[in-house]
């Protein structure tokens, strides 16, 4: 555990801990009547409302959680360059494209994400209560301290279903014990392209770690979530250790595969990334139907890898950043609405409008790159 | 410094398959131990492209479905087990096998022996270590009692017998309050 947490990079995206908890007074969800579900909801909500810290937590359904997780993928630092110091350069590069200060500062957007507070919970999904803490770094120890503190507070309000022998009792026996899933979201396109990913995934299982495609079974966009397989018989620290230990190995493996690919066909990769960028700019990012979502993720994957491998030009990277900023703002809007924070929602709406007016879709080499109209005076922020 | 790291720096390292200069240093995760391979571009290409599909580690869902069909049991035993129903939530073992979800916390007691092989297979263990609720741990029996009482309370409320309901409520509070050393 002495290791310094790994910083996110072009391969490691984010980390998460999730706890499954059930209230002792009720059957599990599958056998609950509608009335009982409502009752569970009100018991949990009342418990949360009784605690000043818990009442600040965000209640999110799965759709909203997905929107949140997508934010991580869009994080500027993850697409700008493999080295982190370039982040500043990109953000501060107020070149011709950076028309006015009212345009959201891409770096600021990432920093603004309230990840620290973004502990969230859901009610009545597979278990009565699931608490989630996301982090944009890999400090899973910190995530554990945070989620455990939240758990303590919930527990002072509600009686958990718990047994000395089996720990926290969950609807699915695969989660019983700690009820904890520790996971790291990783982008492994080169392992997929070189056909090694299945082999790697199988080998992980022997180390008691599972990797699943993050966006659907087919791992759309080559995003994988690596998590602990067992939840019973190991304490929380050991589970964290188990998952964390795998990450550097996967990074190394992916890097080797990338190096291999680039030596094989650098130009092909560059073209793929550039074409994906053009395609993504044409796609309707708000279209939530699954097919276009898959298209978006595929494009994102190619672009991320292209940027991570230094195959895209700076101008392209700037366009990517604008594009991702827009997607990010839209996702933040979803979250703001879920939190009923309408003040923030209206601010976000204005920033999105400003950015859209800015002609970000155009190719940076076009002469007309500067936004048609300067953004509204009172526009945003 | 580990062998792989040295290999990375060593320009004269030979490919392990053909003795040309090795430029790829691959860590193979598939064995029980991590295996470092040093290969030339051609051998790396064929190595990476063939993959290795002989390994067949089980996926967790497969483990479950396999385990949930207790192979050693005779058909009669299985039928009997499938028909077993939890007295608290009413779920049968068959329903659990189908859906993979239990009906209530009491199922862990009621189907205890039947679940044991599954737990061992998925987790490699059957004893919790790790965090415990800080306030006194209500035993499974009183947890079952809580579910029973809540159901009863609802029934009497429907009959508008609020006096009885308040008694039951106090009983619930008493059980829930047991153990909390807290405020
Ligand atoms: Zn060779
Ligand atoms: Zn039951």
């Amino acid at each position: 555990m002495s290791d310094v947490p790994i910083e996110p990079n072009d391969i490691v995206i984010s980390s998460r801990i999730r706890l499954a908890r059930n209230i002792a007074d009720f059957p599990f969800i599958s056998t609950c009547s509608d009335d009982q579900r409502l009752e569970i909801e009100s018991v949990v909500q009342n418990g949360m409302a009784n605690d000043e810290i818990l009442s600040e937590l965000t209640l999110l359904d799965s759709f909203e959680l997905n929107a949140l997780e997508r934010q991580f993928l869009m994080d500027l630092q993850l697409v700008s360059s493999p080295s982190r110091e370039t982040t500043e350069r990109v953000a501060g590069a107020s070149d011709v494209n950076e028309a006015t200060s009212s345009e959201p500062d891409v770096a600021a957007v990432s920093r603004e994400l309230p990840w620290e507070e973004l502990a969230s919970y859901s009610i009545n999904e597979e278990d009565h209560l699931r608490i989630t803490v996301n982090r944009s770094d890999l400090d899973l120890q910190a995530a554990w301290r945070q989620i455990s503190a939240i758990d303590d507070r919930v527990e002072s309000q509600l009686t958990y279903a718990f047994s000395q022998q089996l720990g926290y009792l969950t609807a699915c026996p695969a989660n019983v014990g700690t009820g904890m899933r520790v996971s790291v979201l990783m982008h492994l396109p080169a392992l997929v392209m070189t056909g090694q990913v299945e082999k790697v995934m199988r080998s992980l299982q022997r180390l008691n770690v599972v990797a699943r495609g993050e966006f659907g079974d087919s791992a759309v966009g080559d995003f994988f979530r690596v998590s602990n397989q067992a939840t019973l018989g190991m304490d929380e620290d050991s589970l964290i250790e188990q998952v964390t230990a795998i990450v550097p190995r996967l990074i190394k493996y992916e890097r080797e595969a990338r190096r291999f690919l680039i030596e094989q066909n650098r130009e092909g990769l560059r073209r793929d990334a550039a074409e994906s960028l053009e395609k993504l700019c044409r796609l309707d990012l708000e279209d939530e139907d699954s097919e276009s979502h898959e298209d978006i993720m595929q494009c994102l994957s190619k672009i991320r890898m292209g940027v991570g491998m230094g195959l895209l030009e700076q101008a392209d990277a700037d366009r990517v950043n604008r594009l991702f900023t827009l997607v990010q703002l839209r996702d933040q809007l979803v979250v703001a609405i879920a939190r009923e924070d309408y003040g923030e929602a209206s601010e976000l709406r204005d920033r999105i409008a400003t950015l859209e007016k800015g002609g970000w879709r155009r190719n940076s080499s076009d002469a007309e790159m500067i936004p048609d109209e300067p953004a509204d005076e009172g526009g945003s922020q | 410094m580990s062998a792989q790291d040295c290999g990375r720096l060593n320009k004269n390292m030979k490919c392990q398959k053909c003795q040309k200069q090795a430029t790829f240093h691959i860590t193979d995760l598939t064995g029980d131990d991590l295996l470092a391979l040093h290969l030339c571009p051609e051998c790396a290409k064929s190595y990476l492209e063939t993959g290795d599909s002989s390994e067949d580690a089980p996926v967790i869902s497969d483990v479950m479905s396999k385990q949930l069909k207790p192979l050693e049991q005779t058909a009669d035993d299985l039928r009997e087990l499938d028909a077993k129903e939890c007295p608290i939530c009413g779920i049968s073992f068959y329903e659990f096998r189908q859906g993979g979800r239990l009906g209530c916390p009491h199922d862990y007691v009621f189907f205890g022996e039947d679940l044991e092989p599954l737990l061992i297979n998925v987790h490699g263990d059957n004893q919790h270590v790790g965090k415990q609720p800080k306030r006194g741990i209500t035993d499974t029996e009183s947890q079952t009692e809580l579910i029973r009482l809540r159901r009863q309370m609802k029934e009497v409320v429907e009959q508008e017998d609020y006096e009885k309901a308040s008694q039951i409520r106090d009983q619930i509070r008493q059980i829930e309050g047991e153990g909390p050393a807290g405020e």
Side-chain angles (χ1 to χ4, degrees):
Chain A
M1 273 300 117
S2 57
D3 299 343
V4 179
I6 298 166
E7 290 291 322
N9 54 35
D10 53 325
I11 296 173
V12 179
I13 295 166
S14 63
S15 61
R16 175 172 92 188
I17 296 183
R18 181 168 285 174
L19 294 179
R21 298 289 188 253
N22 288 276
I23 308 168
D25 319 24
F26 295 92
F28 294 141
I29 297 297
S30 65
T31 54
C32 273
S33 64
D34 286 351
D35 281 354
Q36 280 172 318
R37 286 179 198 221
L38 283 175
E39 220 179 318
I40 291 166
E41 210 174 316
S42 78
V43 168
V44 175
Q45 293 285 41
N46 289 338
M48 296 288 194
N50 279 341
D51 181 290
E52 54 176 337
I53 303 267
L54 296 180
S55 56
E56 294 296 311
L57 291 187
T58 311
L59 175 65
L60 292 174
D61 65 25
S62 333
F63 171 74
E64 292 155 350
L65 272 175
N66 285 342
L68 268 186
E69 274 159 16
R70 223 149 20 117
Q71 287 189 13
F72 275 134
L73 305 182
M74 309 297 164
D75 194 313
L76 169 77
Q77 293 169 340
L78 307 172
V79 294
S80 62
S81 163
S83 61
R84 288 171 64 83
E85 57 272 16
T86 45
T87 303
E88 258 183 48
R89 186 164 54 80
V90 174
S94 301
D95 57 15
V96 282
N97 301 343
E98 218 54 57
T100 66
S101 60
S102 65
E103 190 159 14
D105 173 329
V106 272
V109 172
S110 323
R111 244 179 275 118
E112 263 169 36
L113 295 180
W115 289 113
E116 290 298 333
E117 312 125 51
L118 254 180
S120 61
Y121 65 102
S122 64
I123 303 176
N124 289 349
E125 294 203 337
E126 187 180 300
D127 293 291
H128 295 160
L129 175 66
R130 285 198 168 175
I131 311 170
T132 303
V133 166
N134 277 299
R135 284 191 74 92
S136 54
D137 60 20
L138 278 184
D139 195 347
L140 284 161
Q141 288 295 337
W144 168 241
R145 284 192 298 274
Q146 188 189 359
I147 203 167
S148 184
I150 292 169
D151 185 47
D152 290 346
R153 285 175 173 271
V154 176
E155 181 218 307
S156 70
Q157 301 291 331
L158 306 170
T159 306
Y160 283 151
F162 181 89
S163 99
Q164 285 285 13
Q165 200 208 326
L166 294 176
Y168 295 92
L169 303 176
T170 52
C172 178
N175 299 323
V176 80
T178 55
M180 178 164 95
R181 288 277 160 224
V182 184
S183 66
V184 177
L185 184 59
M186 303 188 73
H187 187 219
L188 306 171
L191 285 183
V192 174
M193 286 173 80
T194 54
Q196 299 179 89
V197 82
E198 289 200 10
K199 186 175 71 177
V200 171
M201 299 300 137
R202 277 197 309 273
S203 70
L204 291 184
Q205 300 218 319
R206 209 163 311 129
L207 303 166
N208 263 310
V209 172
V210 222
R212 291 205 183 81
E214 172 71 357
F215 302 98
D217 293 335
S218 54
V220 179
D222 315 318
F223 294 100
F224 293 87
R225 187 170 285 286
V226 180
S227 66
N228 55 308
Q229 172 158 307
T231 53
L232 180 65
M234 284 176 87
D235 66 14
E236 289 81 359
D237 282 339
S238 311
L239 292 174
I240 290 170
E241 176 87 53
Q242 199 176 49
V243 172
T244 314
I246 292 300
V247 175
R249 297 180 190 181
L250 284 175
I251 293 175
K252 195 170 167 207
Y253 223 38
E254 169 73 13
R255 289 240 185 274
E256 284 297 341
R258 286 185 183 194
R259 207 162 68 82
F260 173 77
L261 287 172
I262 213 164
E263 285 187 20
Q264 294 285 306
N265 188 4
R266 182 189 183 93
E267 180 48 28
L269 289 175
R270 195 203 58 75
R271 212 175 34 237
D272 261 11
E275 280 170 8
S276 295
L277 176 56
E278 292 307 318
K279 185 176 176 193
L280 191 60
C281 288
R282 287 193 306 271
L283 288 172
D284 178 3
L285 299 183
E286 277 180 298
D287 191 348
E288 273 297 330
D289 94 55
S290 61
E291 205 174 303
S292 57
H293 188 245
E294 269 188 31
D295 274 351
I296 293 171
M297 297 311 291
Q298 305 285 22
C299 290
L300 268 179
S301 176
K302 297 262 191 261
I303 298 168
R304 285 190 96 256
M305 185 166 76
V307 177
M309 292 162 91
L311 295 170
L312 288 181
E313 312 268 319
Q314 186 56 48
D316 288 330
D318 288 345
R319 277 175 83 209
V320 174
N321 290 336
R322 284 152 184 276
L323 183 59
F324 288 5
T325 302
L326 191 66
V327 178
Q328 214 174 40
L329 289 172
R330 290 214 180 98
D331 287 337
Q332 280 179 293
L333 181 59
V334 171
V335 177
I337 292 168
R339 304 176 86 173
E340 301 181 357
D341 185 346
Y342 299 117
E344 195 184 329
S346 85
E347 201 176 288
L348 287 165
R349 178 202 57 211
D350 293 344
R351 288 169 65 182
I352 290 168
T354 309
L355 194 59
E356 291 216 300
K357 259 194 268 169
W360 58 271
R361 279 172 198 267
R362 252 167 283 158
N363 192 306
S364 54
S365 56
D366 289 354
E368 304 281 302
M369 190 52 207
I370 293 163
D372 307 334
E373 349 169 11
D376 301 359
E377 301 70 36
S380 52
Q381 269 101 339
Chain B
M1 197 181 255
S2 71
Q4 298 100 290
D5 294 329
C6 292
R8 235 175 217 291
L9 303 172
N10 185 354
K11 280 198 171 165
N12 299 318
M13 185 150 230
K14 294 274 191 315
C15 170
Q16 291 171 331
K17 302 212 166 156
C18 75
Q19 299 299 304
K20 276 187 249 171
Q21 188 189 323
T23 52
F24 288 94
H25 308 281
I26 297 164
T27 311
D28 192 341
L29 287 158
T30 52
D32 286 330
D33 297 312
L34 294 178
L35 175 68
L37 290 171
H38 309 285
L39 302 171
C40 70
E42 294 84 68
C43 294
K45 186 166 198 266
S46 69
Y47 172 81
L48 293 175
E49 280 171 1
T50 27
D52 165 16
S53 52
S54 62
E55 307 280 350
D56 208 4
V59 176
I60 193 162
S61 54
D62 297 344
V63 174
M64 287 202 60
S65 60
K66 229 177 285 166
Q67 268 303 311
L68 293 174
K69 294 179 202 118
L71 295 172
E72 285 152 43
Q73 315 237 351
T74 65
D76 278 351
D77 284 345
L78 186 55
R79 216 170 300 132
E80 201 176 305
L81 174 58
D82 272 350
K84 239 169 119 173
E85 272 181 19
C86 167
I88 302 297
C89 70
I91 198 175
S92 68
F93 198 76
Y94 177 77
E95 287 172 295
F96 166 63
R97 283 209 295 128
Q98 293 298 305
R101 303 286 178 272
L102 293 167
C104 77
H106 183 64
D107 297 354
Y108 282 103
V109 177
F110 186 72
F111 298 121
E113 279 176 24
D114 313 310
L115 288 172
E116 178 109 358
L118 169 69
L119 291 175
I120 294 286
N121 204 320
V122 172
H123 302 285
D125 212 313
N126 65 350
Q127 174 63 54
H128 174 62
V129 289
K131 189 171 179 176
Q132 303 201 348
K134 289 208 172 45
R135 66 193 209 160
I137 297 148
T138 38
D139 53 44
T140 317
E141 257 168 59
S142 28
Q143 291 181 15
T144 306
E145 185 64 12
L146 282 173
I147 295 179
R148 210 179 270 136
L149 287 170
R150 281 226 174 237
R151 200 163 53 188
Q152 223 182 327
M153 181 166 73
K154 216 174 143 203
E155 279 166 16
V156 299
V157 165
E158 269 161 26
Q159 295 152 15
E160 300 185 353
D161 184 352
Y162 302 118
E163 295 72 23
K164 180 76 187 157
S166 92
Q167 275 173 26
I168 299 173
R169 181 204 58 212
D170 292 344
Q171 254 177 295
I172 291 174
R173 287 198 179 156
Q174 201 201 329
I175 296 176
E176 288 190 336
E178 266 167 23
E183 308 94 299

